[in-house]
Amino acid sequence: METLFLPASASSLGMASDLLRSGQLVAFPTETVYGLGADAMNAEAVLSVFRAKGRPADNPLIVHIYDRAQLADLCTVPSEAVPLMDAFWPGPLTILFEKFPAVPDVVTAGLPTVAVRMPSHPVAAALLKTCGLPVAAPSANSSGRPSPTLASHVLEDMQGKIPLILDGGPCDVGVESTVLDLCHGAPTILRPGGVTKEMLESVLHTEVALAGSILRPLRPDEQALSPGMRYKHYAPKAAVTLVEGDEKAVLARLKDLCGQERSAGRKSCVLCFTEHLDALRDCSPHDIGSRVHAEETAHRLFDTLRRLDEEGMESVFSEVVPPEGVGLAVMNRLGRAAAFRIIHA
Ligand code: TXA
Ligand code: MG
């Protein structure tokens, strides 16, 4: 199949909308990461999303809408969700709802809940409005690769597999949406993202819980609240190790570790804050943004992980951010990229 790669415009949006309405797949930008969309009510179309990504059938998709009125066809809406939608939609918050039978089981991997979000990216919003469909869309990467934050990342993974990629430039947030469960007791974050625990608590006026496996691997006997958490994700080919501790000690340790790997003949580099580029100049430093802006690290993270593979890195050592605010989402993704290997300097 030929894959068209077009800048988002009135005509390419029209083409994208026609493709979605005829059961085909379109990759499009959102404010978090690029999504791979299909008509959520068309089970065949949704199945082809799983095929294009190589995604396990038991990992459910997020349904994207542009208007809250669309919820009436999809799910029941509990009253606690209303202030959250008022505060954070459109934006990077996904909420789980009890689904209606009309939503095909393939979308939710057989679960009784459906995950819904309203993206704020103007191209995503325009596409959803033009086609008028609820659109099921996981991140537009091949399963197991970092999520795409540039249209060129989508092309790397999806060329020949889908008919159209809409290029809307780099994604602003850079990590996927926050997934919030309101269906099983206390509000619980299943996946941290751009809408932080602190932001949710300020609207709900109650404590928001964190799923256990956000900052550590899932235990063999533990059930994943969100099926996606079971899978190895965001993993570059290199062995990634995180180094935490006092600033000076971390810098010294990063130099040591990188040097040792190189002496052993392995291609090695560090991921470090902008402020440390100079101190680590002999370790092929990759800039993960300022140490005081976790948003910058979120924005750059997936592109950086993809470049490690292109460069053929074998061992990578990274600084860490405090797991607060958007930093929690960064540490969840970085932690999983490192299989939660952390050294204390
Ligand atoms: O920002 C985002 O959320 C992006 C953009 C494209 O919107 N989408 C995205 O989709 O990251 P995906 O499929 O890569 O991640 C969806 C996550 C998975 O971890 C999945 O297990 C979880 O949401 N999920 C979806 N439906 C669920 C459900 N009913 N119950 C629990 N977890 C669910
Ligand atoms: Mg994904």
Side-chain angles (χ1 to χ4, degrees):
M1 177 187 304
E2 191 197 350
T3 302
L4 289 176
F5 185 92
L6 301 174
S9 67
S11 72
S12 63
L13 278 167
M15 186 187 294
S17 164
D18 291 345
L19 284 166
L20 289 172
R21 294 171 70 85
S22 66
Q24 303 211 58
L25 308 188
V26 174
F28 61 96
T30 83
E31 70 280 17
T32 57
V33 302
Y34 276 75
L36 179 59
D39 174 359
M41 303 313 240
N42 178 337
E44 268 306 309
V46 174
L47 256 179
S48 61
V49 171
F50 283 86
R51 279 197 294 266
K53 280 182 61 88
R55 181 179 178 105
D58 64 354
N59 193 4
L61 308 185
I62 294 172
V63 176
H64 296 65
I65 59 173
Y66 74 96
D67 184 344
R68 270 195 234 177
Q70 292 174 284
L71 290 171
D73 300 327
L74 301 172
C75 53
T76 47
V77 178
S79 56
E80 310 93 90
V82 175
L84 293 172
M85 296 189 287
D86 289 343
F88 303 117
W89 281 10
L93 175 66
T94 295
I95 304 175
L96 299 193
F97 298 102
E98 305 286 346
K99 91 173 183 79
F100 290 153
V103 178
D105 285 333
V106 55
V107 173
T108 63
L111 291 174
T113 52
V114 59
V116 184
R117 95 174 187 93
M118 185 186 289
S120 64
H121 194 291
V123 173
L127 177 61
L128 292 166
K129 192 167 182 182
T130 311
C131 72
L133 302 167
V135 170
S139 49
N141 52 291
S142 298
S143 228
R145 297 214 68 204
S147 291
T149 52
L150 291 170
S152 59
H153 297 158
V154 182
L155 191 66
E156 279 168 24
D157 288 10
M158 292 296 148
Q159 185 153 36
K161 297 182 179 163
I162 62 173
L164 177 61
I165 298 168
L166 289 179
D167 183 358
C171 299
D172 196 28
V173 180
V175 290
E176 307 87 339
S177 62
T178 303
V179 178
L180 182 69
D181 185 358
L182 296 174
C183 298
H184 303 91
T188 303
I189 293 178
L190 304 186
R191 179 179 73 181
V195 172
T196 64
K197 173 171 150 64
E198 297 80 356
M199 288 159 77
L200 293 168
E201 287 175 342
S202 76
V203 169
L204 288 172
H205 306 293
T206 176
E207 198 175 326
V208 172
L210 296 176
S213 58
I214 285 174
L215 294 177
R216 59 160 174 79
L218 199 65
R219 287 189 284 264
D221 59 329
E222 192 178 10
Q223 211 199 324
L225 295 172
S226 183
M229 291 292 206
R230 266 203 304 274
Y231 297 103
K232 189 179 171 197
H233 253 194
Y234 319 118
K237 292 180 189 107
V240 180
T241 305
L242 310 183
V243 182
E244 64 172 18
D246 163 77
E247 185 175 3
K248 278 211 179 94
V250 167
L251 291 181
R253 195 65 182 270
L254 287 169
K255 278 189 214 169
D256 267 8
L257 288 164
C258 187
Q260 281 167 22
E261 284 302 291
R262 286 181 177 176
S263 312
R266 282 185 285 274
K267 196 164 181 194
S268 177
C269 72
V270 300
L271 309 186
C272 71
F273 298 120
T274 313
E275 292 86 345
H276 297 154
L277 285 172
D278 192 46
L280 293 167
R281 63 186 171 278
D282 297 331
C283 307
S284 314
H286 290 49
D287 186 355
I288 55 169
S290 167
R291 64 194 296 247
V292 293
H293 294 295
E295 289 78 9
E296 275 187 25
T297 307
H299 179 74
R300 286 164 183 249
L301 185 63
F302 287 144
D303 181 57
T304 305
L305 293 179
R306 278 182 181 253
R307 271 190 295 123
L308 298 176
D309 280 348
E310 279 162 31
E311 293 164 358
M313 288 297 165
E314 293 167 283
S315 309
V316 176
F317 302 96
S318 179
E319 297 203 64
V320 300
V321 302
E324 292 145 20
V326 181
L328 182 65
V330 169
M331 286 311 295
N332 170 252
R333 309 315 191 267
L334 200 52
R336 299 179 81 195
F340 294 100
R341 255 188 313 269
I342 304 185
I343 291 179
H344 191 86

